[in-house]
Amino acid sequence: MTLAPSTNSVDPLLQDIVGPTPGQQLRRRFFGHRGLMIGASVVAVLLVIALLAPVVAPHDPYAQDLLARMKPPVFLGGTSEHILGTDHLGRDYLSRLIYGARVSLLIGFVAALISGTIGTAMGVAAGYFGGRTDAVVTFLINVRLAMPVVLVALAVVAILGGSLQVVIGVLGLLLWDRFAVVMRASTLQVRGREYVSAAQAIGASTPRILLSEIMPNILNNLIVVITLEMAHAILLEATLSFLGLGVQPPTPSWGLMVSEGKNMMLFEPWLVLIPGAVLFVLVLAINLMGDGLRDVTAPENRS
């Protein structure tokens, strides 16, 4: 009677011969990219804090206590009751900072999703179909590039009124141009490749070619643009809120916190430096994450 060979002793040998699977290679590149890990970790921490804001925040961000106004942070001689001090209305600064993360991440994500959907559809259509479609999309891109984003956003928000919904809608409808430009150029590069020609030769439908052959090979460029525009939207929201035309009080917003603290900047600089530093860290982390995802998902690194 012969015994079947043990699969446990063969698997390591086969693994050495065949090599790591694509999934294993992707995980190795993902966890081996220092910038990606740092950026993703910071964004993940801020996202968890934002989602758990009612649990994490030590105080009600809207509660006012005029007797406790302008208390300094604990590292400047303040008390542990208000770790990052209080603002001019006695509201806990740490709590408003935590709830402000919700506003920034929500605006950045939704605005990038809206603009990404519009710009990607336009760019892929222009790059794949060409001709009149390309001419129309190129004309629309030129029209959009001729309009200054900040000035148009200020005008629209001033007319419609500042609110969270208006800011998200305005930024989502204004930031699609970079998506369209990058997706058009990326589609032009891959539409003549052999795998696209082969799919066309076997009679694959246009939606299937776009979704199965085009999009997977331009996904890394899309990821980079999404992260850039997400960071761009967060900065624009902070700019609008700083100018008084973005998120309105008493809603916590990092740009609004900077605006409220600018009058006391010479005497209490921490009122501006704390939300400004957190905003800088978030934008830097998003850009690091996007740059790392581009490196990990680049087609030349898949083999």
Side-chain angles (χ1 to χ4, degrees), residues 117-239:
T117 302
I118 297 172
T120 300
M122 294 175 62
V124 172
Y128 183 77
F129 295 107
R132 293 184 178 180
T133 303
D134 188 18
V136 172
V137 172
T138 302
F139 173 76
L140 293 175
I141 293 173
N142 292 331
V143 171
R144 162 58 196 86
L145 292 175
M147 299 186 298
V149 177
V150 177
L151 294 181
V152 174
L154 286 173
V156 174
V157 172
I159 294 173
L160 300 179
S163 68
L164 183 61
Q165 293 78 10
V166 171
V167 171
I168 291 176
V170 169
L171 295 181
L173 296 175
L174 283 177
L175 300 180
W176 54 265
D177 56 293
R178 187 174 298 179
F179 286 97
V181 171
V182 174
M183 291 300 99
R184 175 183 175 275
S186 301
T187 305
L188 285 172
Q189 290 178 352
V190 302
R191 74 173 183 178
R193 299 290 176 84
E194 292 80 3
Y195 48 82
V196 177
S197 301
Q200 293 172 339
I202 64 175
S205 63
T206 299
R208 181 169 182 176
I209 294 175
L210 293 177
L211 295 176
S212 302
E213 306 297 338
I214 301 293
M215 288 303 299
N217 290 282
I218 63 175
L219 183 62
N220 61 311
N221 295 325
L222 178 60
I223 291 173
V224 176
V225 181
I226 287 176
T227 54
L228 289 175
E229 292 306 315
M230 184 176 177
H232 191 192
I234 291 173
L235 288 176
L236 284 176
E237 179 274 325
T239 301

Side-chain angles (χ1 to χ4, degrees), residues 28-302:
R28 289 179 183 177
R29 293 196 301 269
F30 185 91
F31 292 105
H33 197 290
R34 182 176 301 177
L36 173 59
M37 293 305 300
I38 294 174
S41 300
V42 173
V43 173
V45 169
L46 290 176
L47 180 60
V48 171
I49 291 175
L51 293 175
L52 300 178
V55 179
V56 177
H59 298 278
D60 183 354
Y62 302 99
Q64 301 179 13
D65 184 4
L66 296 180
L67 297 178
R69 59 189 300 270
M70 301 301 295
K71 285 192 173 181
V74 66
F75 54 83
L76 293 178
T79 62
S80 59
E81 181 181 2
H82 300 285
I83 298 177
L84 293 182
T86 59
D87 63 5
H88 64 291
L89 294 176
R91 296 172 297 192
D92 184 70
Y93 223 53
L94 176 59
S95 299
R96 292 186 63 79
L97 204 67
I98 292 173
Y99 275 84
R102 280 185 158 188
V103 174
S104 294
L105 289 172
L106 176 64
I107 290 177
F109 178 77
V110 179
L113 181 63
I114 296 173
S115 59
T117 302
I118 297 172
T120 300
M122 294 175 62
V124 172
Y128 183 77
F129 295 107
R132 293 184 178 180
T133 303
D134 188 18
V136 172
V137 172
T138 302
F139 173 76
L140 293 175
I141 293 173
N142 292 331
V143 171
R144 162 58 196 86
L145 292 175
M147 299 186 298
V149 177
V150 177
L151 294 181
V152 174
L154 286 173
V156 174
V157 172
I159 294 173
L160 300 179
S163 68
L164 183 61
Q165 293 78 10
V166 171
V167 171
I168 291 176
V170 169
L171 295 181
L173 296 175
L174 283 177
L175 300 180
W176 54 265
D177 56 293
R178 187 174 298 179
F179 286 97
V181 171
V182 174
M183 291 300 99
R184 175 183 175 275
S186 301
T187 305
L188 285 172
Q189 290 178 352
V190 302
R191 74 173 183 178
R193 299 290 176 84
E194 292 80 3
Y195 48 82
V196 177
S197 301
Q200 293 172 339
I202 64 175
S205 63
T206 299
R208 181 169 182 176
I209 294 175
L210 293 177
L211 295 176
S212 302
E213 306 297 338
I214 301 293
M215 288 303 299
N217 290 282
I218 63 175
L219 183 62
N220 61 311
N221 295 325
L222 178 60
I223 291 173
V224 176
V225 181
I226 287 176
T227 54
L228 289 175
E229 292 306 315
M230 184 176 177
H232 191 192
I234 291 173
L235 288 176
L236 284 176
E237 179 274 325
T239 301
L240 293 174
S241 297
F242 178 82
L243 296 174
L245 293 174
V247 177
Q248 298 299 303
T251 303
S253 167
W254 293 345
L256 186 60
M257 292 172 69
V258 173
S259 177
E260 292 173 342
K262 70 179 186 298
N263 294 329
M264 297 293 296
M265 186 170 61
L266 296 179
F267 307 99
E268 303 292 349
W270 54 270
L271 289 171
V272 174
L273 293 178
I274 291 177
V278 177
L279 185 63
F280 167 77
V281 170
L282 175 59
V283 172
L284 177 62
I286 292 174
N287 281 281
L288 285 174
M289 185 175 65
D291 187 66
L293 288 173
R294 179 202 60 192
D295 295 339
V296 169
T297 59
E300 60 269 18
N301 292 332
R302 293 177 187 173

